[in-house]
Amino acid sequence: MIKKSLFPAAGYGTRFLPATKAIPKEMLPVVDKPLIQYGVEEAIEAGINTMAIVTGRGKRAIEDHFDISYELEHQIKGTSKEHLLEDIRKLMNSCTFTYTRQKEMKGLGHAVLSGEVLIGNEPFAVVLADDLCEGDGKGVLKQMVELYKKYRCSIVAVMEVEKDSIHKYGVIDAKELEKDVFVVSNMVEKPKAKEAPSNLAIIGRYILTPDIFDILRDTKPGAGGEIQLTDALKTQAQKGMVLAYKFKGKRFDCGSVDGYVKAINYFYDKTKK
Ligand code: UTP
């Protein structure tokens, strides 16, 4: 039912400079796989078969990663290293990649709106690849797609966050509908700790209904002069219904150096078990 996932990947990744000067943040490896590949694998597990990627200037490595490298294939064919390409070959055969460019980096909301041309008029998932998620037995996006089947409205993934870091997130005001599922009444982008309406912060996984595009078109720049997806979701919540889902699993903030190093240690330790 949800067949497409949008990957906004046009940001500058300034927190990783100089590493991200010529390499997209989404291509930074966690052990032996780039961040965006983890996101694509999570989407495939959720039954999604079209990966719609919003890129920008200097992001061509993403397209090359999900394409055949004839020279490399030729070089390692029949050698003991051939198995190293098996996973990515399988992944490329199980979905289609589409691309568009965000011409000016005017924020996440603007990046999602730039993806409209790839999504059309249907509900879709959004994955921010720099939030690396590992579900508790079942991927986070799969958990959300199942919830969408029940409620058929936009859903944001949330997690509990300590007071001292709440100012980095979009934070929801909401009432619990069933265990771990909340009806959102308001959202605040990057509040001060004492102004945060709850300790539930939005992370980079969403299911959105396509009316979000019209709302985004009418959304004025907010915090930081950027068009904020949170502001559009707040409008959608007030006009209709938006749910927040406290997902089961782990999330690493790989948009920050700290979270990125934690993710590498965690996934490296797993390869040793
Ligand atoms: P971030 O703010 O975390 O990414 O945006 P950033 O701007 O690349 O990183 P820093 O803060 O400079 O280090 C969240 C997501 O939204 C995308 C980013 O690529 C990231 O996946 N994004 C953000 C866009 O695609 N376009 C934008 O204009 C802004």
Side-chain angles (χ1 to χ4, degrees):
M1 182 194 319
I2 305 275
K3 289 291 163 207
K4 294 181 180 173
S5 180
L6 192 68
F7 292 77
Y12 291 118
T14 53
R15 282 168 287 172
F16 278 92
L17 282 170
T20 45
K21 219 181 135 207
I23 298 169
K25 172 170 74 173
E26 297 73 16
M27 288 302 295
L28 293 176
V30 169
V31 189
D32 55 2
K33 261 192 294 195
L35 278 168
I36 193 159
Q37 189 175 332
Y38 286 88
V40 169
E41 287 172 357
E42 187 184 328
I44 291 173
E45 187 212 344
I48 290 166
N49 60 20
T50 301
M51 309 300 155
I53 306 185
V54 179
T55 66
R57 281 176 295 280
K59 298 269 185 171
R60 295 239 306 252
I62 298 176
E63 288 170 60
D64 291 341
H65 183 70
F66 295 117
D67 197 357
I68 295 168
S69 166
Y70 284 106
E71 203 178 318
L72 185 62
E73 295 275 343
H74 176 73
Q75 284 295 328
I76 70 167
K77 199 172 169 53
T79 74
S80 60
K81 291 186 180 160
E82 197 172 355
H83 71 280
L84 296 171
L85 282 181
E86 254 165 37
D87 284 358
I88 182 82
R89 277 182 187 152
K90 215 191 282 165
L91 177 150
M92 281 159 50
N93 286 332
S94 47
C95 58
T96 302
F97 292 87
T98 61
Y99 298 90
T100 190
R101 279 193 181 195
Q102 186 187 10
K103 291 183 193 71
E104 290 172 279
M105 308 327 158
K106 291 192 202 159
L108 176 58
H110 183 259
V112 170
L113 185 55
S114 307
E116 182 181 17
V117 63
L118 305 176
I119 300 295
N121 190 25
E122 58 184 277
F124 61 103
V126 176
V127 172
L128 304 188
D130 53 359
D131 267 344
L132 180 47
C133 292
E134 188 188 56
D136 203 356
K138 196 187 281 178
V140 174
L141 219 49
K142 186 166 188 185
Q143 296 170 34
M144 293 174 77
V145 167
E146 286 175 2
L147 193 65
Y148 177 80
K149 285 182 186 154
K150 187 166 171 194
Y151 290 104
R152 312 258 172 160
C153 65
S154 289
I155 304 169
V156 299
V158 293
M159 63 178 228
E160 285 177 7
V161 162
E162 298 293 330
K163 254 196 170 148
D164 59 355
S165 47
I166 200 94
H167 63 278
K168 296 182 198 156
Y169 296 87
V171 182
I172 62 161
D173 194 355
K175 270 207 177 75
E176 195 157 15
L177 179 66
E178 59 173 274
K179 190 174 180 307
D180 295 335
V181 180
F182 304 81
V183 179
V184 175
S185 54
N186 197 9
M187 296 183 182
V188 191
E189 187 60 37
K190 302 189 171 64
K192 290 188 184 125
K194 59 175 189 304
E195 283 157 19
S198 73
N199 65 345
L200 292 174
I202 302 170
I203 64 127
R205 297 290 181 278
Y206 308 78
I207 304 284
L208 301 177
T209 51
D211 53 310
I212 198 76
F213 294 126
D214 279 338
I215 300 173
L216 278 167
R217 253 184 286 281
D218 290 338
T219 302
K220 301 264 168 316
E226 298 191 329
I227 297 176
Q228 299 288 351
L229 181 59
T230 310
D231 290 341
L233 280 163
K234 183 169 130 182
T235 307
Q236 204 181 35
Q238 285 162 357
K239 279 188 177 168
M241 182 158 90
V242 171
L243 294 179
Y245 170 59
K246 204 161 93 183
F247 66 94
K248 295 174 186 65
K250 287 188 174 39
R251 169 258 185 187
F252 296 92
D253 173 15
C254 293
S256 75
V257 174
D258 250 25
Y260 176 62
V261 173
K262 278 188 190 136
I264 291 175
N265 286 325
Y266 176 80
F267 284 95
Y268 179 70
D269 285 349
K270 274 185 75 167
T271 65
K272 297 284 146 202
K273 278 178 191 155

